[in-house]
Amino acid sequence: MKTVPEYFGSMVFNDVTMRARLPKETYKALKKTMRDGKKLDPQIANIVANAMKDWAIEKGVTHFSHWFQPMTGVTAEKHDSFISPFGEDGVIMEFSGKELVRGEPDASSLPSGGIRSTYEARGYTTWDPTSYAFIKDNVLCIPTAFCSYNGEALDKKTPLLRSMECISKQALRVVKLFGNENVTTVKTTVGPEQEYFLIDKKYYDKRIDLQYCERTLFGAAPPKGQELEDHYYGTISPRVSAFMAELDKELWKLGVLAKTEHNETAPAQFELAPIFTTANISCDHNQITMELMKKLAPKHGMVCLLHEKPFAGVNGSGKHNNWSLTTNLGDNLLEPGETPHENAQFLLFLCAIIRAVDDYQELLRISIASAANDRRLGNSEAPPAVVSIFLGDEITAILDSIESGTAYEQSDKKQLKVGVHTLPRFPKDNTDRNRTSPLAFTGNKFEFRMVGSNDSIADANIVLNTTIAESLRVYADKLEGADNFADALHELIKNEIKEHKRIIFGGNSYDDEWAKLAAQRGLACLQTTPDAIARFLDEKNIALFETHKVFSKAEMVARHRLMSERYCKVINIESKTMVEMLQRDLMPAISKYSLEMSKAADYFKTPDETKFGYENSVAVKLRTLLDDVYILVDELDKRIRTVEAIEDITKRTFGYKDRIIPLMDRIRIYIDEAETLTAREYWPYPTYGEILSGC
Ligand code: ADP
Ligand code: MG
C-alpha cells in the first residue's frame, strides 16, 4: 500500500511532475508565467499541453475539460476527448497549447446577469496557470477563468484573481515604505474551515424538502438536541470515519491539504479544515472539497448537506475564512514583529483592515448574503448580521494607548510611539477567545466567520482583498510624500484608530445588547439578504471596484441582478415545496389520523354521548390546526403567484422576504405542533430525532 507522501498530489500536474516532464527551458518559462501572472507564450503552451496529455493518458485519462466557476457558485465542466482523426480509420490522442490555454464552452445556459446577449452567448475560458491541472473522474481538468467576448467576468475566479493583483500592488507600495526592497509580490493566503452535515440516505430519500431545498421545511424539535454538548469533538462513528478516510485520501491525491476533521457542535455535524494556501488555489480546493463530500457520502449510505441551516433550532454550518497576507519572501504581514520597525508595519496593516471593514461593512455583509445564510446568522450560534471586528484585549489596549497618547500598562507605563517602541509580546492563543465575532484577529490572520458553508469563498475574499487594497492605497498615497516618515506614520495610525474604532467590538456579539449598541454606533444593520444586496450598487462601492479594476459597473449590475434572482428562486422553490408537502403528504396524514382518533372517540364515548378524553381531544386539536393550516396554505399559494409576478427585481426580493417567508414560518409552527400530536406511523416524514441520530 502506498503511503500518503507517495500518493499525495498524484492526480495533480504539480511542480514535481512539471519539473520531471518538461524541458528545463519550458519549465522555467512556465514558472515565470505563474509567478508574474503573465500570458503564456503559444509555443510553450504547446509543449506544456503535450506533456500534460501524456501524463494524463498514462493515468487512463481520455478527456480534458476546462473547469470553471460560473456565478451559480458551483463548478462547471465540459468534457472533450483527446481524439483526433488519423489516416483512413485511425485516431491519435492530441491536446494543443491552444486547447490548454483557451476554451469556448457553449455556456449560454449559465447565468450572466444580462451581460451576454444570446447571439454572443459563448464566452471563453482561459487557463489560470497558477492553479495546477488535475485529474478528476478520468478527466484532465484545467482550472480556468470564464469571461465574455468583451472580457467581462462571468465567473468567480476572474474577479478573485483581479482582487489578488490589486492588493498585491498596494501592499507592495506599503512594504517598500518600510524599506523591504526585496519584496516583489504579496500573496493573499486563505484557509477555509468547512462545516457540513451527514445524514442517513434512507431518511433523505423520504424528504422532498431535503431533496429540493437541502433544508427541512418542517420538523419538531427532538427530545435530545445538542444541549448535552456531547457531539463536539466526540468520537467519530465507524461509518463517518470511513467516509472521512476516503475523503482525505481523494483530496490528498488532488493535492488538497486536508488537515483536521472533527465532530462539530450539532449532532450529525462535522468540520474539515485544510492547511492554508494562496487564495485562488484555496478557492479551487474548497470547491473540489465540497464536490467530493457530496459525491462520496452516498457510497457510505449517507448524504452530505452543505446548506447553512438544514435544521431549525440546530446549529447551522459556516465556513471560517482564515485570511492573511504573505510576501514572496515568506513573511506573514499580519504577524506582529520583533522590532519596532516590524511592529509599525504590522500596525499599519492592521489599521488598513480596520478601516476597510468599517468603510465597507455593507460589502462584507453582501459577500456572504444568501437566503440560507440569513437563517443561520444571528441565531446565537453564528455571528450576527452586523459586521464588526475583534482584536483581543492586548491589541485593543495598544490601539487605545496610541490613540489617546496615554501610557500602555504593560510597557513600563510608557507611551507607545509607533516605529520607536517595541510592542509587548502577546501570546497568540490569547487573541482567539472570542468565538462570537464576525471577523476576529487570531494572532497572525483574520478569521471571517460569516461565510456560509455552501458559498464559494471567492466573494468574501474579493471583498476583503479589494477593500483592504483601498486602505493601503490611501495610506501609500499619504506616506509616500511624507517629509518625516516616522511622524507621519504615527499620526496616520493615531487618526485611523480614532476614525474607525467604532467597528471594533470585543464583547459578546450574540448578545442583544450588541445589536442596540451597534445601531448607536451607526454600523450597518442589514438583517436580511434583500436589505444587504440593495446596497451593492451604492456609488461608493462602484467607485471602489472600478478604481481597483476588480469589477466594472456593468459587471456589478449583472452580479446584483444574479444575487437578487438567486434569492427569489430559492424562496420560490422552498415555498412551492412547502405547498406540495402540505397538500400531498402532511394535510392528508393529519386528516387521516384525526379521523381515526375521532372514530375511536366515538367508539369509546360515554353513555351520555358526550365525547371527552384522549382520542377526542387529539382529534379536535388536530382538526382545528388543520383548518387553520388549510387557510394559510391557500393564502401562501396566492401570494407565491403575486410575488412571482413582481416586475422589479429588488421589489420582488422584498416581496419574498416580507410576504412569503413570514407566512412559511407561521405555517411551520402549526405543522410542527401537529407532528408532536400525531402517531408516529401516520407521520409521512422521518423526524428530526431520527435524521439527526442516524449516522
Ligand atoms: P483553529 O482556528 O481551529 O484554532 P488554526 O488557527 O491553527 O486553527 O487554523 C485555522 C485555519 O487557519 C487553518 O485552515 C489554517 O490553515 C488557517 N491559517 C493558519 N495560518 C494562516 C494564514 N497565515 N493565512 C491564512 N490562513 C491561515
Ligand atoms: Mg478557527
Side-chain angles (χ1 to χ4, degrees), residues 150-386:
N150 303 325
E152 283 142 334
L154 293 172
D155 67 345
K156 304 222 172 211
K157 188 190 263 282
T158 307
L160 178 61
L161 291 171
R162 289 177 187 160
S163 75
M164 289 165 68
E165 213 173 298
C166 83
I167 196 168
S168 174
K169 186 168 145 197
Q170 302 302 337
L172 211 53
R173 289 175 69 196
V174 169
V175 295
K176 291 249 151 83
L177 287 169
F178 288 85
N180 302 306
E181 287 303 325
N182 294 331
V183 178
T184 53
T185 49
V186 173
K187 260 191 337 195
T188 324
T189 53
V190 171
E193 302 166 58
Q194 176 75 49
E195 292 178 341
Y196 61 99
F197 278 87
L198 285 174
I199 62 168
D200 196 305
K201 188 161 181 312
K202 71 172 183 269
Y203 297 132
Y204 176 87
D205 289 341
K206 287 190 187 142
R207 294 203 58 138
I208 60 163
D209 47 0
L210 285 174
Q211 291 162 36
Y212 295 161
C213 317
E214 236 201 48
R215 81 174 177 96
T216 52
L217 299 176
F218 301 105
K224 177 177 181 291
Q226 63 195 51
E227 54 277 85
L228 295 182
E229 295 174 339
D230 50 358
H231 191 257
Y232 191 57
Y233 280 12
T235 353
I236 301 176
S237 79
R239 177 148 69 143
V240 172
S241 252
F243 163 81
M244 286 179 174
E246 189 179 359
L247 179 63
D248 278 342
K249 187 163 179 189
E250 291 305 314
L251 288 172
W252 290 338
K253 282 197 217 159
L254 290 169
V256 177
L257 295 155
K259 174 79 177 162
T260 317
E261 308 231 26
H262 62 77
N263 285 3
E264 256 303 322
T265 323
Q269 193 186 29
F270 307 90
E271 181 185 291
L272 182 148
I275 297 172
F276 69 97
T277 178
T278 317
N280 61 320
I281 296 168
S282 189
C283 182
D284 288 355
H285 283 182
N286 183 247
Q287 294 292 339
I288 293 174
T289 304
M290 291 195 286
E291 192 181 320
L292 273 177
M293 282 175 166
K294 290 249 165 215
K295 200 172 89 185
L296 295 179
K299 286 175 74 178
H300 300 265
M302 300 184 290
V303 171
C304 169
L305 303 177
L306 291 173
H307 191 282
E308 282 76 6
K309 192 76 178 175
F311 306 99
V314 175
N315 274 11
S317 301
K319 184 143 53 192
H320 293 174
N321 187 86
N322 294 274
W323 182 98
S324 191
L325 288 172
T326 307
T327 68
N328 58 307
L329 305 178
D331 294 320
N332 178 352
L333 294 171
L334 295 185
E335 184 89 56
E338 304 279 343
T339 65
H341 209 59
E342 289 167 345
N343 287 166
Q345 181 179 294
F346 162 72
L347 281 173
L348 190 62
F349 274 95
L350 196 65
C351 284
I353 295 165
I354 296 169
R355 176 193 178 102
V357 178
D358 187 26
D359 277 352
Y360 297 100
Q361 301 159 42
E362 296 87 357
L363 279 182
L364 277 169
R365 170 69 182 88
I366 294 165
S367 76
I368 51 91
S370 69
N373 217 7
D374 283 355
R375 295 199 170 264
R376 164 181 168 257
L377 296 175
N379 267 324
S380 290
E381 37 135 325
V386 181

Side-chain angles (χ1 to χ4, degrees), residues 35 218 373 380 449 467 477 485 494 524 621 634 675 683:
R35 227 181 11 249
F218 301 105
N373 217 7
S380 290
R449 300 186 174 128
T467 56
D477 279 355
F485 177 68
K494 191 171 157 175
K621 268 194 209 159
D634 215 38
E675 183 189 322
W683 201 251

